[in-house]
Amino acid sequence: MTVRPFTSHAAVHSGVARVTLAGELDLDTAFHVRDTVAACLVKQPTEVRLDLTGVSFCDCSGLNALLAVRSSALRAGVGLRVEGIGTQPARLLALIGADGLFAERASSATAVPAPCAAEADTRRPDAAMAVAEKAPLRGLLA
C-alpha cells in the first residue's frame, strides 16, 4: 500500500521525453510509469529521460516497471537516460544484479540544455534480457 502519494509528469519537447516521478513506486503505482512512458513513445522521441529523484521507495513491482520501460525504449530504438536513483531503489537494483542497467554516469552534452546526471546502458539491448534470465530476478518478478 502506498503511503506517500505517487505523481508522474511527462513532457515531450524537441524530441526528448522527460518523465519525472515522485513518491512510492510500488504495486499500486507501477502501471503509471509504464503508461506514462508508453504515451511518450507514441510521440516518437529520440530520447526518454526518466527522473527518479523524487522516488522514495521502490518494490519489485516498481522494479519490474523500470525494466519494462527500459525494454520498451530499446525496442523503439529510443535512448533512455535515468537520473536521480536514490539509495533504496539503487540497493534493490544491486541486490538483483541489475545496477549496471540504470547506473548513474555523467552524460555528454545533448540537444536539451537541462543537465542529465545519469545514463542507462542502452548500447547492449541484450543486457536487459540477460538480467531477466537470472534466477533471483525471476523469483522477484513472478
Side-chain angles (χ1 to χ4, degrees), residues 50-125:
L50 190 59
D51 183 356
L52 304 179
T53 304
V55 174
S56 58
F57 174 79
C58 182
D59 69 4
C60 59
S61 297
L63 174 64
N64 193 16
L66 294 175
L67 292 170
V69 162
R70 182 178 185 278
S71 181
S72 295
L74 290 172
R75 278 194 309 275
V78 175
L80 176 68
R81 290 181 182 259
V82 178
E83 58 189 22
I85 297 176
T87 305
Q88 190 275 328
R91 183 167 184 263
L92 180 60
L93 288 166
L95 284 171
I96 65 158
D99 46 337
L101 295 179
F102 296 102
E104 295 201 32
R105 292 181 239 155
S107 66
S108 59
T110 62
V112 176
C116 226
E119 181 177 299
D121 185 5
T122 57
R123 295 172 304 216
R124 290 192 49 221

Short mmCIF file of all heavy atoms in Angstrom, two decimals, residues 50-125:
data_model
loop_
_atom_site.label_atom_id
_atom_site.label_comp_id
_atom_site.label_asym_id
_atom_site.label_seq_id
_atom_site.Cartn_x
_atom_site.Cartn_y
_atom_site.Cartn_z
N LEU A 50 14.28 9.75 -17.65
CA LEU A 50 13.48 9.29 -16.52
C LEU A 50 14.11 9.81 -15.24
O LEU A 50 15.20 9.39 -14.87
CB LEU A 50 13.43 7.76 -16.53
CG LEU A 50 12.48 7.04 -15.61
CD1 LEU A 50 11.04 7.46 -15.90
CD2 LEU A 50 12.63 5.54 -15.79
N ASP A 51 13.45 10.76 -14.60
CA ASP A 51 13.96 11.38 -13.38
C ASP A 51 13.34 10.71 -12.17
O ASP A 51 12.15 10.84 -11.90
CB ASP A 51 13.64 12.87 -13.39
CG ASP A 51 14.19 13.61 -12.19
OD1 ASP A 51 14.78 12.97 -11.28
OD2 ASP A 51 14.05 14.84 -12.15
N LEU A 52 14.18 9.97 -11.42
CA LEU A 52 13.72 9.25 -10.23
C LEU A 52 14.09 9.96 -8.93
O LEU A 52 13.99 9.37 -7.86
CB LEU A 52 14.33 7.83 -10.22
CG LEU A 52 14.06 6.97 -11.45
CD1 LEU A 52 14.75 5.62 -11.31
CD2 LEU A 52 12.58 6.80 -11.69
N THR A 53 14.51 11.20 -9.03
CA THR A 53 14.95 11.95 -7.85
C THR A 53 13.91 11.93 -6.73
O THR A 53 14.26 11.78 -5.56
CB THR A 53 15.29 13.40 -8.23
OG1 THR A 53 16.26 13.39 -9.28
CG2 THR A 53 15.82 14.18 -7.05
N GLY A 54 12.65 12.03 -7.07
CA GLY A 54 11.60 12.09 -6.06
C GLY A 54 11.06 10.74 -5.62
O GLY A 54 10.15 10.67 -4.79
N VAL A 55 11.60 9.65 -6.14
CA VAL A 55 11.12 8.31 -5.76
C VAL A 55 11.74 7.93 -4.43
O VAL A 55 12.95 7.78 -4.31
CB VAL A 55 11.45 7.26 -6.85
CG1 VAL A 55 11.07 5.87 -6.37
CG2 VAL A 55 10.72 7.60 -8.14
N SER A 56 10.89 7.78 -3.42
CA SER A 56 11.37 7.48 -2.07
C SER A 56 11.44 5.98 -1.78
O SER A 56 12.15 5.56 -0.87
CB SER A 56 10.46 8.15 -1.04
OG SER A 56 9.12 7.69 -1.21
N PHE A 57 10.69 5.19 -2.54
CA PHE A 57 10.63 3.75 -2.29
C PHE A 57 10.32 3.05 -3.60
O PHE A 57 9.54 3.55 -4.41
CB PHE A 57 9.54 3.43 -1.26
CG PHE A 57 9.31 1.95 -1.07
CD1 PHE A 57 10.18 1.21 -0.28
CD2 PHE A 57 8.24 1.31 -1.68
CE1 PHE A 57 9.97 -0.16 -0.10
CE2 PHE A 57 8.03 -0.04 -1.50
CZ PHE A 57 8.89 -0.78 -0.71
N CYS A 58 10.91 1.87 -3.79
CA CYS A 58 10.63 1.06 -4.97
C CYS A 58 10.59 -0.40 -4.54
O CYS A 58 11.53 -0.89 -3.92
CB CYS A 58 11.72 1.30 -6.02
SG CYS A 58 11.48 0.39 -7.56
N ASP A 59 9.50 -1.09 -4.86
CA ASP A 59 9.43 -2.53 -4.57
C ASP A 59 9.63 -3.30 -5.87
O ASP A 59 9.98 -2.72 -6.91
CB ASP A 59 8.12 -2.89 -3.86
CG ASP A 59 6.88 -2.77 -4.74
OD1 ASP A 59 7.00 -2.47 -5.95
OD2 ASP A 59 5.77 -2.98 -4.21
N CYS A 60 9.43 -4.61 -5.84
CA CYS A 60 9.69 -5.42 -7.03
C CYS A 60 8.73 -5.08 -8.17
O CYS A 60 9.10 -5.19 -9.34
CB CYS A 60 9.66 -6.91 -6.70
SG CYS A 60 8.12 -7.50 -6.01
N SER A 61 7.53 -4.61 -7.88
CA SER A 61 6.62 -4.17 -8.94
C SER A 61 7.14 -2.92 -9.62
O SER A 61 7.06 -2.78 -10.84
CB SER A 61 5.22 -3.89 -8.37
OG SER A 61 4.67 -5.06 -7.83
N GLY A 62 7.67 -2.01 -8.82
CA GLY A 62 8.29 -0.81 -9.38
C GLY A 62 9.51 -1.14 -10.21
O GLY A 62 9.74 -0.58 -11.28
N LEU A 63 10.30 -2.08 -9.71
CA LEU A 63 11.48 -2.54 -10.44
C LEU A 63 11.07 -3.16 -11.77
O LEU A 63 11.67 -2.88 -12.81
CB LEU A 63 12.24 -3.56 -9.60
CG LEU A 63 13.42 -4.25 -10.28
CD1 LEU A 63 14.50 -3.25 -10.62
CD2 LEU A 63 13.96 -5.33 -9.38
N ASN A 64 10.04 -3.97 -11.74
CA ASN A 64 9.53 -4.58 -12.96
C ASN A 64 9.10 -3.50 -13.95
O ASN A 64 9.35 -3.61 -15.16
CB ASN A 64 8.37 -5.51 -12.63
CG ASN A 64 7.99 -6.40 -13.79
OD1 ASN A 64 8.73 -6.56 -14.75
ND2 ASN A 64 6.81 -6.99 -13.69
N ALA A 65 8.46 -2.44 -13.47
CA ALA A 65 8.04 -1.34 -14.34
C ALA A 65 9.25 -0.65 -14.95
O ALA A 65 9.24 -0.31 -16.14
CB ALA A 65 7.19 -0.34 -13.56
N LEU A 66 10.29 -0.42 -14.17
CA LEU A 66 11.50 0.22 -14.70
C LEU A 66 12.16 -0.64 -15.78
O LEU A 66 12.60 -0.12 -16.81
CB LEU A 66 12.50 0.50 -13.57
CG LEU A 66 12.07 1.53 -12.54
CD1 LEU A 66 13.11 1.62 -11.42
CD2 LEU A 66 11.87 2.90 -13.20
N LEU A 67 12.22 -1.94 -15.54
CA LEU A 67 12.79 -2.85 -16.54
C LEU A 67 11.93 -2.89 -17.80
O LEU A 67 12.44 -2.92 -18.92
CB LEU A 67 12.98 -4.24 -15.95
CG LEU A 67 14.04 -4.37 -14.86
CD1 LEU A 67 13.96 -5.74 -14.20
CD2 LEU A 67 15.43 -4.10 -15.40
N ALA A 68 10.61 -2.85 -17.63
CA ALA A 68 9.70 -2.85 -18.77
C ALA A 68 9.85 -1.57 -19.59
O ALA A 68 9.84 -1.60 -20.83
CB ALA A 68 8.25 -3.02 -18.30
N VAL A 69 9.99 -0.44 -18.89
CA VAL A 69 10.18 0.84 -19.57
C VAL A 69 11.48 0.83 -20.36
O VAL A 69 11.53 1.29 -21.51
CB VAL A 69 10.16 1.99 -18.53
CG1 VAL A 69 10.77 3.26 -19.07
CG2 VAL A 69 8.74 2.23 -18.06
N ARG A 70 12.52 0.30 -19.76
CA ARG A 70 13.81 0.22 -20.45
C ARG A 70 13.69 -0.65 -21.70
O ARG A 70 14.16 -0.30 -22.77
CB ARG A 70 14.88 -0.35 -19.52
CG ARG A 70 16.25 -0.41 -20.17
CD ARG A 70 17.30 -0.94 -19.19
NE ARG A 70 18.61 -0.87 -19.78
CZ ARG A 70 19.11 -1.79 -20.62
NH1 ARG A 70 18.38 -2.83 -20.93
NH2 ARG A 70 20.31 -1.66 -21.12
N SER A 71 13.03 -1.77 -21.57
CA SER A 71 12.83 -2.69 -22.69
C SER A 71 12.01 -2.03 -23.80
O SER A 71 12.32 -2.16 -24.98
CB SER A 71 12.16 -3.96 -22.19
OG SER A 71 11.97 -4.87 -23.23
N SER A 72 10.96 -1.31 -23.43
CA SER A 72 10.12 -0.62 -24.42
C SER A 72 10.91 0.42 -25.18
O SER A 72 10.79 0.55 -26.40
CB SER A 72 8.93 0.06 -23.73
OG SER A 72 8.08 -0.89 -23.16
N ALA A 73 11.73 1.18 -24.46
CA ALA A 73 12.56 2.20 -25.12
C ALA A 73 13.55 1.55 -26.08
O ALA A 73 13.73 2.02 -27.21
CB ALA A 73 13.29 3.04 -24.07
N LEU A 74 14.18 0.46 -25.65
CA LEU A 74 15.13 -0.23 -26.51
C LEU A 74 14.46 -0.76 -27.78
O LEU A 74 15.01 -0.63 -28.87
CB LEU A 74 15.81 -1.38 -25.75
CG LEU A 74 16.79 -0.97 -24.65
CD1 LEU A 74 17.22 -2.20 -23.86
CD2 LEU A 74 17.98 -0.25 -25.23
N ARG A 75 13.28 -1.36 -27.61
CA ARG A 75 12.55 -1.89 -28.78
C ARG A 75 12.17 -0.77 -29.74
O ARG A 75 12.13 -0.98 -30.95
CB ARG A 75 11.30 -2.64 -28.33
CG ARG A 75 11.56 -4.06 -27.91
CD ARG A 75 10.27 -4.87 -27.80
NE ARG A 75 9.24 -4.24 -27.00
CZ ARG A 75 9.14 -4.33 -25.68
NH1 ARG A 75 10.02 -5.01 -25.00
NH2 ARG A 75 8.16 -3.73 -25.05
N ALA A 76 11.89 0.41 -29.22
CA ALA A 76 11.51 1.55 -30.06
C ALA A 76 12.72 2.26 -30.64
O ALA A 76 12.57 3.20 -31.42
CB ALA A 76 10.66 2.53 -29.24
N GLY A 77 13.91 1.83 -30.24
CA GLY A 77 15.13 2.48 -30.74
C GLY A 77 15.36 3.85 -30.13
O GLY A 77 15.98 4.71 -30.73
N VAL A 78 14.84 4.03 -28.93
CA VAL A 78 14.92 5.31 -28.24
C VAL A 78 15.92 5.21 -27.09
O VAL A 78 15.89 4.25 -26.33
CB VAL A 78 13.53 5.71 -27.69
CG1 VAL A 78 13.59 6.97 -26.87
CG2 VAL A 78 12.54 5.86 -28.83
N GLY A 79 16.80 6.19 -26.98
CA GLY A 79 17.75 6.21 -25.87
C GLY A 79 17.03 6.45 -24.55
O GLY A 79 15.97 7.10 -24.52
N LEU A 80 17.57 5.91 -23.48
CA LEU A 80 16.98 6.10 -22.15
C LEU A 80 18.04 6.63 -21.21
O LEU A 80 19.11 6.02 -21.06
CB LEU A 80 16.42 4.77 -21.61
CG LEU A 80 15.85 4.81 -20.19
CD1 LEU A 80 14.58 5.64 -20.15
CD2 LEU A 80 15.58 3.41 -19.69
N ARG A 81 17.77 7.76 -20.60
CA ARG A 81 18.66 8.33 -19.58
C ARG A 81 17.90 8.33 -18.26
O ARG A 81 16.75 8.72 -18.21
CB ARG A 81 19.05 9.77 -19.92
CG ARG A 81 19.97 9.88 -21.09
CD ARG A 81 20.32 11.35 -21.31
NE ARG A 81 21.16 11.48 -22.45
CZ ARG A 81 22.48 11.64 -22.39
NH1 ARG A 81 23.08 11.69 -21.23
NH2 ARG A 81 23.19 11.75 -23.48
N VAL A 82 18.57 7.87 -17.23
CA VAL A 82 17.97 7.83 -15.91
C VAL A 82 18.79 8.71 -14.99
O VAL A 82 20.02 8.65 -15.01
CB VAL A 82 17.91 6.38 -15.37
CG1 VAL A 82 17.32 6.35 -13.97
CG2 VAL A 82 17.11 5.49 -16.31
N GLU A 83 18.11 9.53 -14.22
CA GLU A 83 18.82 10.38 -13.28
C GLU A 83 18.15 10.32 -11.92
O GLU A 83 16.97 10.02 -11.81
CB GLU A 83 18.88 11.83 -13.78
CG GLU A 83 17.54 12.47 -14.04
CD GLU A 83 17.63 13.81 -14.74
OE1 GLU A 83 18.66 14.08 -15.39
OE2 GLU A 83 16.68 14.59 -14.64
N GLY A 84 18.95 10.53 -10.90
CA GLY A 84 18.43 10.63 -9.55
C GLY A 84 18.00 9.33 -8.90
O GLY A 84 17.02 9.31 -8.16
N ILE A 85 18.71 8.25 -9.14
CA ILE A 85 18.35 7.00 -8.47
C ILE A 85 18.76 7.10 -7.01
O ILE A 85 19.93 7.27 -6.69
CB ILE A 85 19.05 5.79 -9.13
CG1 ILE A 85 18.59 5.64 -10.57
CG2 ILE A 85 18.75 4.50 -8.35
CD1 ILE A 85 19.30 4.55 -11.33
N GLY A 86 17.78 7.03 -6.13
CA GLY A 86 18.04 7.15 -4.70
C GLY A 86 18.64 5.89 -4.11
O GLY A 86 18.79 4.86 -4.77
N THR A 87 18.97 5.97 -2.84
CA THR A 87 19.64 4.88 -2.14
C THR A 87 18.83 3.59 -2.13
O THR A 87 19.35 2.52 -2.44
CB THR A 87 19.95 5.29 -0.69
OG1 THR A 87 20.70 6.50 -0.71
CG2 THR A 87 20.73 4.22 0.04
N GLN A 88 17.55 3.66 -1.79
CA GLN A 88 16.74 2.44 -1.68
C GLN A 88 16.53 1.79 -3.05
O GLN A 88 16.76 0.59 -3.19
CB GLN A 88 15.41 2.75 -0.98
CG GLN A 88 14.60 1.51 -0.62
CD GLN A 88 13.74 1.00 -1.77
OE1 GLN A 88 13.26 1.76 -2.59
NE2 GLN A 88 13.54 -0.31 -1.82
N PRO A 89 16.11 2.52 -4.09
CA PRO A 89 15.99 1.87 -5.40
C PRO A 89 17.33 1.34 -5.92
O PRO A 89 17.38 0.27 -6.52
CB PRO A 89 15.44 2.98 -6.32
CG PRO A 89 14.76 3.93 -5.38
CD PRO A 89 15.56 3.88 -4.11
N ALA A 90 18.41 2.06 -5.66
CA ALA A 90 19.74 1.60 -6.10
C ALA A 90 20.11 0.30 -5.40
O ALA A 90 20.68 -0.61 -6.02
CB ALA A 90 20.78 2.68 -5.83
N ARG A 91 19.79 0.19 -4.13
CA ARG A 91 20.09 -1.04 -3.38
C ARG A 91 19.30 -2.22 -3.93
O ARG A 91 19.82 -3.32 -4.09
CB ARG A 91 19.79 -0.85 -1.90
CG ARG A 91 20.16 -2.07 -1.08
CD ARG A 91 20.14 -1.74 0.42
NE ARG A 91 20.61 -2.91 1.15
CZ ARG A 91 19.80 -3.81 1.70
NH1 ARG A 91 18.49 -3.67 1.64
NH2 ARG A 91 20.30 -4.84 2.35
N LEU A 92 18.04 -1.99 -4.27
CA LEU A 92 17.20 -3.05 -4.84
C LEU A 92 17.79 -3.52 -6.18
O LEU A 92 17.89 -4.72 -6.42
CB LEU A 92 15.77 -2.54 -5.04
CG LEU A 92 14.76 -3.52 -5.63
CD1 LEU A 92 14.62 -4.75 -4.77
CD2 LEU A 92 13.42 -2.83 -5.82
N LEU A 93 18.20 -2.60 -7.01
CA LEU A 93 18.83 -2.96 -8.29
C LEU A 93 20.11 -3.75 -8.06
O LEU A 93 20.38 -4.73 -8.76
CB LEU A 93 19.12 -1.71 -9.11
CG LEU A 93 17.89 -1.02 -9.71
CD1 LEU A 93 18.26 0.38 -10.21
CD2 LEU A 93 17.29 -1.85 -10.81
N ALA A 94 20.91 -3.34 -7.08
CA ALA A 94 22.16 -4.04 -6.78
C ALA A 94 21.89 -5.46 -6.28
O ALA A 94 22.62 -6.39 -6.62
CB ALA A 94 22.98 -3.25 -5.76
N LEU A 95 20.85 -5.62 -5.47
CA LEU A 95 20.53 -6.94 -4.92
C LEU A 95 20.22 -7.97 -6.00
O LEU A 95 20.51 -9.16 -5.83
CB LEU A 95 19.34 -6.85 -3.96
CG LEU A 95 19.64 -6.26 -2.59
CD1 LEU A 95 18.34 -6.02 -1.82
CD2 LEU A 95 20.56 -7.17 -1.80
N ILE A 96 19.64 -7.53 -7.09
CA ILE A 96 19.29 -8.48 -8.16
C ILE A 96 20.31 -8.48 -9.30
O ILE A 96 20.14 -9.16 -10.29
CB ILE A 96 17.88 -8.23 -8.70
CG1 ILE A 96 17.80 -6.87 -9.39
CG2 ILE A 96 16.84 -8.39 -7.62
CD1 ILE A 96 16.68 -6.77 -10.36
N GLY A 97 21.36 -7.68 -9.15
CA GLY A 97 22.40 -7.63 -10.17
C GLY A 97 22.05 -6.78 -11.37
O GLY A 97 22.65 -6.92 -12.43
N ALA A 98 21.10 -5.89 -11.23
CA ALA A 98 20.68 -5.03 -12.35
C ALA A 98 21.18 -3.59 -12.19
O ALA A 98 20.74 -2.71 -12.92
CB ALA A 98 19.16 -5.04 -12.47
N ASP A 99 22.09 -3.36 -11.25
CA ASP A 99 22.55 -2.00 -11.01
C ASP A 99 23.25 -1.40 -12.22
O ASP A 99 23.20 -0.20 -12.44
CB ASP A 99 23.42 -1.90 -9.76
CG ASP A 99 24.48 -2.98 -9.68
OD1 ASP A 99 24.32 -4.04 -10.31
OD2 ASP A 99 25.46 -2.77 -8.97
N GLY A 100 23.87 -2.20 -13.05
CA GLY A 100 24.53 -1.69 -14.25
C GLY A 100 23.56 -1.20 -15.31
O GLY A 100 23.93 -0.40 -16.17
N LEU A 101 22.31 -1.65 -15.27
CA LEU A 101 21.32 -1.22 -16.26
C LEU A 101 20.89 0.22 -16.06
O LEU A 101 20.51 0.89 -17.00
CB LEU A 101 20.09 -2.13 -16.21
CG LEU A 101 20.31 -3.58 -16.59
CD1 LEU A 101 19.00 -4.35 -16.46
CD2 LEU A 101 20.84 -3.69 -18.01
N PHE A 102 20.92 0.68 -14.83
CA PHE A 102 20.48 2.04 -14.52
C PHE A 102 21.55 2.81 -13.77
O PHE A 102 21.25 3.72 -13.02
CB PHE A 102 19.19 2.02 -13.69
CG PHE A 102 18.03 1.42 -14.42
CD1 PHE A 102 17.61 0.13 -14.15
CD2 PHE A 102 17.35 2.13 -15.39
CE1 PHE A 102 16.54 -0.44 -14.80
CE2 PHE A 102 16.27 1.57 -16.06
CZ PHE A 102 15.86 0.29 -15.77
N ALA A 103 22.82 2.44 -13.97
CA ALA A 103 23.92 3.09 -13.25
C ALA A 103 24.01 4.56 -13.63
O ALA A 103 23.86 4.91 -14.80
CB ALA A 103 25.24 2.38 -13.56
N GLU A 104 24.26 5.38 -12.65
CA GLU A 104 24.40 6.81 -12.91
C GLU A 104 25.80 7.10 -13.43
O GLU A 104 26.78 6.64 -12.90
CB GLU A 104 24.13 7.61 -11.63
CG GLU A 104 22.70 7.44 -11.18
CD GLU A 104 22.24 8.54 -10.27
OE1 GLU A 104 22.71 9.68 -10.44
OE2 GLU A 104 21.41 8.27 -9.42
N ARG A 105 25.83 7.86 -14.52
CA ARG A 105 27.09 8.28 -15.12
C ARG A 105 26.93 9.70 -15.61
O ARG A 105 25.83 10.11 -15.96
CB ARG A 105 27.43 7.41 -16.34
CG ARG A 105 27.77 6.00 -15.97
CD ARG A 105 28.11 5.27 -17.22
NE ARG A 105 27.16 4.17 -17.30
CZ ARG A 105 26.79 3.59 -18.41
NH1 ARG A 105 27.27 3.96 -19.54
NH2 ARG A 105 25.94 2.60 -18.38
N ALA A 106 28.03 10.41 -15.68
CA ALA A 106 27.99 11.77 -16.23
C ALA A 106 27.61 11.66 -17.70
O ALA A 106 28.09 10.79 -18.41
CB ALA A 106 29.34 12.44 -16.07
N SER A 107 26.75 12.55 -18.15
CA SER A 107 26.32 12.50 -19.53
C SER A 107 27.08 13.51 -20.37
O SER A 107 27.63 14.47 -19.86
CB SER A 107 24.82 12.78 -19.62
OG SER A 107 24.56 14.10 -19.22
N SER A 108 27.05 13.30 -21.66
CA SER A 108 27.65 14.26 -22.57
C SER A 108 26.62 15.32 -22.90
O SER A 108 25.46 15.22 -22.56
CB SER A 108 28.12 13.54 -23.84
OG SER A 108 27.01 12.91 -24.44
N ALA A 109 27.04 16.35 -23.62
CA ALA A 109 26.12 17.42 -24.00
C ALA A 109 25.04 16.86 -24.90
O ALA A 109 25.28 15.99 -25.72
CB ALA A 109 26.88 18.52 -24.71
N THR A 110 23.81 17.39 -24.76
CA THR A 110 22.70 16.94 -25.57
C THR A 110 22.00 18.15 -26.16
O THR A 110 22.33 19.29 -25.85
CB THR A 110 21.69 16.14 -24.72
OG1 THR A 110 21.18 17.00 -23.71
CG2 THR A 110 22.31 14.91 -24.11
N ALA A 111 21.01 17.90 -26.99
CA ALA A 111 20.27 18.98 -27.64
C ALA A 111 19.45 19.79 -26.65
O ALA A 111 19.12 20.92 -26.89
CB ALA A 111 19.36 18.41 -28.71
N VAL A 112 19.12 19.21 -25.51
CA VAL A 112 18.33 19.90 -24.50
C VAL A 112 19.28 20.40 -23.42
O VAL A 112 20.09 19.65 -22.90
CB VAL A 112 17.28 18.94 -23.88
CG1 VAL A 112 16.53 19.61 -22.76
CG2 VAL A 112 16.33 18.46 -24.95
N PRO A 113 19.22 21.68 -23.08
CA PRO A 113 20.18 22.24 -22.14
C PRO A 113 20.10 21.72 -20.71
O PRO A 113 21.04 21.84 -19.97
CB PRO A 113 19.89 23.75 -22.18
CG PRO A 113 18.51 23.86 -22.73
CD PRO A 113 18.29 22.66 -23.60
N ALA A 114 18.97 21.12 -20.32
CA ALA A 114 18.85 20.62 -18.95
C ALA A 114 19.87 19.51 -18.73
O ALA A 114 19.99 18.60 -19.53
CB ALA A 114 17.44 20.09 -18.72
N PRO A 115 20.64 19.57 -17.62
CA PRO A 115 21.65 18.55 -17.37
C PRO A 115 21.01 17.22 -17.02
O PRO A 115 19.95 17.15 -16.44
CB PRO A 115 22.43 19.10 -16.17
CG PRO A 115 21.45 20.00 -15.48
CD PRO A 115 20.57 20.56 -16.56
N CYS A 116 21.68 16.16 -17.38
CA CYS A 116 21.25 14.80 -17.07
C CYS A 116 22.40 14.15 -16.33
O CYS A 116 23.50 14.08 -16.83
CB CYS A 116 20.94 14.04 -18.36
SG CYS A 116 19.42 13.13 -18.27
N ALA A 117 22.16 13.65 -15.14
CA ALA A 117 23.24 13.12 -14.32
C ALA A 117 23.52 11.65 -14.57
O ALA A 117 24.48 11.13 -14.04
CB ALA A 117 22.91 13.33 -12.85
N ALA A 118 22.69 10.97 -15.32
CA ALA A 118 22.89 9.53 -15.48
C ALA A 118 22.42 9.06 -16.83
O ALA A 118 21.62 9.69 -17.48
CB ALA A 118 22.12 8.79 -14.40
N GLU A 119 22.95 7.92 -17.22
CA GLU A 119 22.54 7.31 -18.48
C GLU A 119 22.52 5.81 -18.31
O GLU A 119 23.47 5.23 -17.83
CB GLU A 119 23.50 7.70 -19.58
CG GLU A 119 23.12 7.12 -20.93
CD GLU A 119 24.05 7.59 -22.02
OE1 GLU A 119 24.12 8.80 -22.24
OE2 GLU A 119 24.70 6.73 -22.61
N ALA A 120 21.40 5.21 -18.69
CA ALA A 120 21.33 3.75 -18.65
C ALA A 120 22.12 3.20 -19.84
O ALA A 120 22.28 3.86 -20.85
CB ALA A 120 19.87 3.29 -18.73
N ASP A 121 22.60 1.99 -19.71
CA ASP A 121 23.38 1.37 -20.77
C ASP A 121 22.45 0.85 -21.85
O ASP A 121 21.92 -0.24 -21.75
CB ASP A 121 24.23 0.23 -20.21
CG ASP A 121 25.16 -0.36 -21.26
OD1 ASP A 121 25.22 0.15 -22.39
OD2 ASP A 121 25.81 -1.35 -20.92
N THR A 122 22.21 1.66 -22.88
CA THR A 122 21.33 1.27 -23.97
C THR A 122 22.12 0.75 -25.16
O THR A 122 21.55 0.45 -26.18
CB THR A 122 20.46 2.46 -24.42
OG1 THR A 122 21.33 3.53 -24.80
CG2 THR A 122 19.53 2.89 -23.32
N ARG A 123 23.43 0.60 -25.03
CA ARG A 123 24.23 0.08 -26.13
C ARG A 123 24.09 -1.42 -26.25
O ARG A 123 24.37 -1.99 -27.29
CB ARG A 123 25.70 0.42 -25.91
CG ARG A 123 25.97 1.91 -25.96
CD ARG A 123 27.39 2.14 -25.56
NE ARG A 123 27.56 1.54 -24.24
CZ ARG A 123 28.32 2.04 -23.28
NH1 ARG A 123 29.01 3.12 -23.50
NH2 ARG A 123 28.42 1.46 -22.11
N ARG A 124 23.66 -2.10 -25.20
CA ARG A 124 23.53 -3.55 -25.20
C ARG A 124 22.08 -3.94 -24.93
O ARG A 124 21.70 -4.18 -23.80
CB ARG A 124 24.43 -4.18 -24.15
CG ARG A 124 25.89 -4.07 -24.48
CD ARG A 124 26.73 -4.94 -23.57
NE ARG A 124 26.18 -6.29 -23.51
CZ ARG A 124 26.11 -6.99 -22.37
NH1 ARG A 124 26.53 -6.50 -21.24
NH2 ARG A 124 25.62 -8.20 -22.37
N PRO A 125 21.24 -4.01 -25.97
CA PRO A 125 19.84 -4.39 -25.75
C PRO A 125 19.70 -5.75 -25.10
O PRO A 125 18.73 -6.01 -24.42
CB PRO A 125 19.24 -4.40 -27.16
CG PRO A 125 20.17 -3.65 -28.01
CD PRO A 125 21.53 -3.72 -27.36
#
